[in-house]
């Protein structure tokens, strides 16, 4: 253990001070009959994320329920603006853009839709510029509201555009994938990719609201659903082992798109993220634990080429690598690693790491991970499991990391 290079300790979940997040009926949604049925877990609920640093209140609600996309009251009380731009992609826009447009027409005189090319490989400057082109061509002003209708790529790019256009305009997250609903739409991280690293160019910029309609998840391909489950699973080992127990009991229901199971998974994930982000908005300490599996995962994405594996697939496999590294460092036992690996596999995710370079596979992983945002002076920082339900951020010897990669990679 003496060869490990620790960083400043991350507070254990047990020591986290309570924050003022709440799960309740979505009071903002009480104009008219609420969608969803009482008692089935799908009537509108709210998780509130509290951000009041420097005397500025940037808090906002996350609405969770069925039928919210078509319900005009889901979008009541947002900043008033005559213009709105729905940013989506060529896959999602034909399914849901018109529904959202109809719901927004009660709040904005002019609502237009922009459909970006679909896929992680398009999360770049040229695609981002399409959003600016649309805003400028319609004479959008500083009050124009952007609505991100899609998965993590759309949400990240729309948020980055909102942070940049006229130095900041309001935006709303309307996530249509499980991954976006439980992770990327919450917390204000916005970015585009660079060929040398994922999400390397961006800004922290909070939405005004997140609207998670559970019904849209029923149109997800099985592969996309599994990718989202990776981001749900990660909350267990780092924060809440009761959630991990629950996921083991309900994984089949989640993959079968059971609405009540999805409602619980989304709500609990948002609760945890709201609690963590409320204490560390800009990832100076505690928030880094949310990157469990991501250091290895981002290397997989960059090494294979963006889009070859979905983000959640790379994170799922990355969690196996990170848990194995935790075990090799003596932090958790083999039984814990095997348990987590079984759950990730049951979610339909890969558990064997791909070969990025047949000549020096581990070396390629290490080179890519040194470009990770958490690296410091070339030293890679990993989110590891200190003990089940609690994470830490620390370095590890290259030789040991090589052993883990070789042990977990495909022959």
């Amino acid at each position: 253990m003496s060869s490990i290079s620790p960083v400043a300790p991350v507070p254990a979940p047990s020591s986290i001070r309570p924050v003022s997040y709440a799960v309740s009926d979505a009071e903002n949604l009480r104009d008219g009959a609420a969608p969803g049925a009482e008692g089935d877990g799908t009537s509108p609920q709210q998780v509130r994320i509290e951000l009041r640093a420097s005397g500025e209140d940037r808090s906002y609600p996350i609405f969770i329920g069925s039928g919210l996309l078509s319900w005009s009251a889901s979008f009541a009380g947002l900043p008033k603006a005559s213009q709105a731009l729905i940013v989506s992609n060529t896959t999602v826009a034909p399914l849901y853009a018109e529904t959202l447009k109809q719901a927004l027409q009660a709040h904005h005189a002019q609502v237009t839709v922009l459909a970006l090319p679909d896929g992680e490989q398009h999360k770049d400057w040229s695609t981002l510029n399409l959003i600016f082109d649309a805003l400028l061509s319609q004479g959008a002003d500083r009050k124009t509201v952007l609505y991100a209708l899609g998965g993590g790529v759309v949400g990240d790019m729309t948020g980055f555009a909102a942070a940049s256009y006229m130095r900041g305009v309001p935006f709303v997250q309307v996530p249509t994938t499980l991954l976006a609903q439980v992770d990327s739409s919450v917390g204000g991280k916005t970015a585009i990719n660079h060929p040398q690293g994922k999400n390397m160019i961006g800004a922290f910029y909070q939405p005004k609201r997140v609207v998670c309609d559970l019904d849209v998840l029923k149109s997800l391909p099985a592969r996309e659903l599994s990718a989202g489950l990776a981001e749900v699973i990660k909350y267990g080992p780092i924060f809440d082992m009761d959630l991990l127990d629950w996921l083991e009991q309900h994984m089949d229901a989640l993959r079968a798109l059971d609405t009540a199971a999805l409602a619980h998974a989304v709500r609990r994930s948002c609760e945890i993220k709201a609690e963590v982000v409320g204490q560390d908005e800009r990832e100076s300490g505690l928030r880094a634990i949310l990157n469990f599996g991501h250091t290895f995962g981002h290397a997989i994405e960059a090494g294979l080429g963006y889009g070859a594996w979905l983000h959640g697939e790379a994170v799922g496999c990355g969690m196996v690598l990170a848990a194995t590294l935790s075990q090799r460092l003596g932090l958790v036992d083999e039984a814990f690693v095997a348990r987590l690996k079984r759950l990730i596999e049951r979610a339909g995710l890969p558990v064997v790491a791909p070969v990025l370079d047949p000549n020096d596979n581990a070396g390629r992983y290490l080179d890519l991970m040194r470009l990770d945002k958490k690296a410091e002076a070339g030293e890679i920082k990993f989110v590891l499991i200190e003990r089940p339900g609690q994470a830490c951020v620390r370095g590890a010897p290259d030789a040991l990391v090589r052993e883990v990669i070789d042990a977990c990679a495909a022959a």
Side-chain angles (χ1 to χ4, degrees):
M1 299 291 283
S2 60
S3 61
I4 298 170
S5 301
V7 297
V10 175
S14 60
S15 67
I16 292 175
R17 60 176 176 80
V19 295
S20 183
Y21 77 84
V23 181
S24 61
D25 290 336
E27 295 184 4
N28 301 59
L29 301 183
R30 289 181 175 172
D31 297 329
E38 289 296 328
D40 69 352
T42 64
S43 56
Q45 293 184 311
Q46 178 185 154
V47 175
R48 187 165 182 83
I49 183 165
E50 298 287 350
L51 297 167
R52 302 178 186 274
S54 304
E56 180 187 2
D57 187 1
R58 288 167 293 103
S59 307
Y60 56 90
I62 305 161
F63 293 154
I64 304 163
S66 291
L68 301 185
L69 186 67
S70 59
W71 202 33
S72 181
S74 301
F75 307 98
L78 291 165
K80 294 188 179 299
S82 60
Q83 295 185 66
L85 175 66
I86 299 171
V87 181
S88 190
N89 63 36
T90 52
T91 300
V92 175
L95 298 173
Y96 301 117
E98 185 59 31
T99 299
L100 178 58
K101 184 176 180 179
Q102 292 294 324
L104 294 179
Q105 284 177 339
H107 309 293
H108 307 285
Q110 178 184 341
V111 182
T112 55
V113 178
L114 171 65
L116 303 175
D118 189 13
E120 186 80 29
Q121 65 271 30
H122 298 294
K123 191 178 177 182
D124 55 19
W125 281 115
S126 59
T127 306
L128 182 69
N129 259 327
L130 296 176
I131 304 177
F132 297 132
D133 290 345
L135 291 166
L136 290 164
S137 65
Q138 69 184 46
D141 57 27
R142 285 178 172 168
K143 292 185 177 180
T144 300
V145 181
L146 275 59
Y147 292 83
L149 177 68
V153 172
V154 167
D156 278 12
M157 287 199 296
T158 305
F160 191 19
S164 307
Y165 186 70
M166 292 191 174
R167 300 187 179 92
V169 296
F171 87 108
V172 177
Q173 291 274 18
V174 189
T176 60
T177 67
L178 180 60
L179 187 149
Q181 290 191 1
V182 301
D183 184 66
S184 63
S185 68
V186 178
K189 282 187 177 181
T190 74
I192 57 173
N193 297 332
H194 186 277
Q196 296 185 58
K198 184 178 172 69
N199 294 333
M200 296 301 287
I201 304 161
F204 286 97
Y205 193 70
Q206 299 294 341
K208 296 297 182 183
R209 183 173 300 172
V210 181
V211 179
C212 298
D213 188 336
L214 300 171
D215 289 348
V216 303
L217 301 179
K218 295 178 181 178
S219 65
L220 280 181
R223 187 181 174 195
E224 288 278 2
L225 181 71
S226 291
L229 288 171
E231 296 284 7
V232 180
I233 291 169
K234 78 172 183 188
Y235 291 113
I238 66 170
F239 197 95
D240 182 3
M241 288 299 291
D242 287 343
L243 175 61
L244 198 72
D245 294 341
W246 183 89
L247 287 169
E248 288 175 327
Q249 298 168 26
H250 295 87
M251 183 56 68
D252 292 343
L254 288 167
R255 295 192 71 184
L257 295 168
D258 177 83
T259 304
L262 289 170
H264 180 81
V266 173
R267 188 186 70 222
R268 184 60 187 140
S269 298
C270 288
E271 286 174 19
I272 295 170
K273 189 156 190 182
E275 184 162 351
V276 172
V277 174
Q279 295 181 52
D280 181 21
E281 180 183 0
R282 293 180 175 263
E283 205 170 293
S284 58
L286 176 65
R287 185 170 178 172
I289 69 172
L290 299 176
N291 291 311
F292 177 54
H294 287 60
T295 300
F296 287 107
H298 287 171
I300 291 170
E301 288 184 89
L304 291 177
Y306 295 120
W309 277 26
L310 298 176
H311 174 66
E313 292 171 332
V315 168
C317 189
M319 286 191 287
V320 174
L321 286 153
T324 303
L325 181 56
S326 303
Q327 183 264 319
R328 297 286 180 101
L329 287 167
L331 303 176
V332 295
D333 59 22
E334 290 185 14
F336 175 81
V337 178
R339 178 187 180 189
L340 181 60
K341 185 176 178 179
R342 281 194 303 271
L343 182 62
I344 291 168
E345 196 164 25
R346 281 184 61 202
L349 295 162
V351 294
V352 177
V355 173
L356 305 182
D357 184 338
N359 296 316
D360 185 9
N361 187 46
R364 179 62 175 151
Y365 272 83
L366 287 165
D367 287 345
L368 289 166
M369 289 190 292
R370 286 193 177 93
L371 296 172
D372 189 88
K373 295 184 292 299
K374 293 182 294 302
E376 297 174 5
E379 184 183 14
I380 306 163
K381 302 299 181 184
F382 298 94
V383 179
L384 303 176
I385 304 304
E386 192 164 46
R387 61 175 179 265
Q390 180 174 323
C392 61
V393 182
R394 64 194 302 177
D398 280 4
L400 184 58
V401 177
R402 280 181 170 273
E403 289 178 13
V404 168
I405 294 167
D406 289 342
C408 294

